[in-house]
Amino acid sequence: MTYSPPVEEQRFLLRHVVRIDELAGHNLFAEATPDLVDAIVAGAGDFAAGIFAPLNRTGDAIGAKWTPDGVILPTGFREAYRAYVEGGWNTLAGPADFGGQGLPLSLATVVMEDLGSANMGFSLVMMLSPGAVESLIHHGSPELQEAWLPKLVTGEWTGTMNLTEPQAGSDVGALKTRAEPTGDGSYRIKGQKIFITFGDHDLTDNIVHLVLARLPDAPRSTKGISLFLVPKMLPDGQANDLRCVSIEHKLGIHAAPTCVMSYGDGDECVGWLIGEENKGMAAMFTMMNNARLYVGLQGVSIAERAMQQAIAYARERVQGSREGRPARIVEHPDVRRMLLRMKALTQAARALAYYTSGQIDRGNVGDEAAKTRADLLTPLVKAYGTDVGVEVTSLALQVHGGMGYVEETGAAQHYRDARISPIYEGTNGIQAADLVGRKIGLEGGEVLARLIAQMRAEAGDETRLMYLVNDCEAAGWSILGAGMDDRLAASYAFLAMLATAVSGWLMARQLAALDGYDGNPAFAQMKRAAARYYLDQIVPETQGKFAAAMATADILYSVPEEAFAA
Ligand SMILES: Cc1cc2nc3c(=O)[nH]c(=O)nc-3n(C[C@H](O)[C@H](O)[C@H](O)COP(=O)(O)OP(=O)(O)OC[C@H]3O[C@@H](n4cnc5c(N)ncnc54)[C@H](O)[C@@H]3O)c2cc1C
């Protein structure tokens, strides 16, 4: 089953959730005219469906392969990547000073969604480079920018993100990779990184690694980490002293090589500092925030793809009867429940992701309140989007019955692919910790308070949503006043509540926008049903998490650790 881009939905969201016309009113985004926006949405969908989607099964069945000469992708991937670069898709939201088109991130979000739906594993290589670009723009010296940005912006080179080491996963501060200054402005990098996505591949001539490492005598913890640009190929055309030692065998995203990277086996690995010494986490966070938004979006992408397949299957598979005649399973109430739930969850998570990218765009044109709101929402997009991805792909598999569990239909691949997204880019547990540990306390709680106030003002008629918003407010203040263990114990429940409240508010906004809508009637019918289902059934379900969001950590620590193994 191929991918059919949800063009109507994407346009509707850009218009009513992102409100892209407001953005186009700003000088920086003046080129994002309605005609251009429509053309990009249509073109991205066609490109993803036509060029990337046909490679999805090959990517899974054959996958990336390690060879002594480097990692190779299956036949067709190089050509598809070249088409992506030549089509200018990588340049969309790139900085105009370095060859980018300077269009809103919210528009690039649509493209990334399509690529992820078409081929999630492959799309990772496209997803990481924009973060490297962002990091260089905000923290790189003019010399580094000049040398590395232009080809990263076009996509002629790709970027990676190197944080993880065997002993340093969620605890990035535990990393041991070292960087020694050489005196000529460069550094010698030495160490091993694991789990590096697209750490090596044969799609481009060069790969620009962003590597976290420690200087000699750097303070322990995250305060002693610096960020380095470490290219596969040096500017003089020589290969740098780094290599991919092996790649992982894993549950899904087989098209994306997950590399063990060794830097400086011969003590000759050259890197350059990005930003200031010992300030690497700030530079890396610039990259990670971008990637967190896109990983949350991956949940939406894979949910959309899996859902489309489940709907097609449900409309064909005959089983049981209705009104005395053989029925296709789409006619059964419980299958309808699954299909509508998938629609509602996917649309809601998409609205949350698009809205947040629109807030980032507003932040980029100087709207400080939008910028801090995007900071608050980013962990919600990442965790909620990816949890939705897992739930929807699981439901899609369920709709297929036994045929979903066998590989033949492809439903299983979506489920396997989706499962990584709550883990990487900071596990969802870490997102929840970020929410209660840092984000809800932004400006002394004012950022959260403003969000709650806006939701309350705009969602007054939606009684169930109002209850959830009230609960979010009560839980939010209770968590802010609690000790750290109690905050963390409540964190996941609170994240789910707040993400559902924001998504519910955005679904209500879409429902209201349908009043003046004169487009495709089937789209409007489904939008109305999905929004109503979300507001009437999913919102109250999430309200049930209030008890957990208000609870302390006492129950969790009421038993000794040994009792878990009893
Ligand atoms: C396919 C794949 C691709 C990846 N790509 C990259 C990449 O490109 N670059 C890169 O640098 N890394 C990458 N990673 C690494 C990924 O980001 C880490 O796996 C992830 O951050 C979790 O770290 P960990 O695996 O060490 O798990 P751990 O940190 O050991 O976590 C295990 C469990 O404990 C929980 N936990 C840990 N610490 C805390 C805490 N303080 N509070 C609450 N809960 C906690 C976690 O939530 C998790 O449930 C990738 C991983 C995979 C599998």
Side-chain angles (χ1 to χ4, degrees), residues 124 128 160-172 193-199 210 248 250 252-253 256-259 284 292 420 422-431 433 488:
L124 275 162
L128 284 164
T160 71
M161 186 169 153
N162 288 242
L163 289 83
T164 309
E165 298 178 14
Q167 77 295 344
S170 301
D171 183 8
V172 180
K193 296 284 178 182
I194 61 167
F195 293 157
I196 304 309
T197 300
F198 275 97
L210 264 56
E248 307 294 344
K250 53 195 195 297
I253 55 164
T258 306
C259 303
M284 193 50 111
R292 283 178 175 176
I420 182 59
I423 297 173
Y424 59 21
E425 219 32 72
T427 63
N428 285 2
I430 295 296
Q431 304 303 318
L488 292 169

Side-chain angles (χ1 to χ4, degrees), residues 11-13 16 58 68 106 178 191 193 228 267 323 342 371 411 415 422-423 446 485 491 500 559:
R11 285 184 180 147
F12 189 80
L13 259 68
H16 300 292
T58 324
S106 33
R178 312 215 27 103
K193 296 284 178 182
F228 297 89
D267 293 326
E323 295 162 1
M342 286 191 266
K371 188 171 179 304
Y415 182 59
I423 297 173
E446 273 307 302
D485 266 356
S491 63
T500 307
V559 285

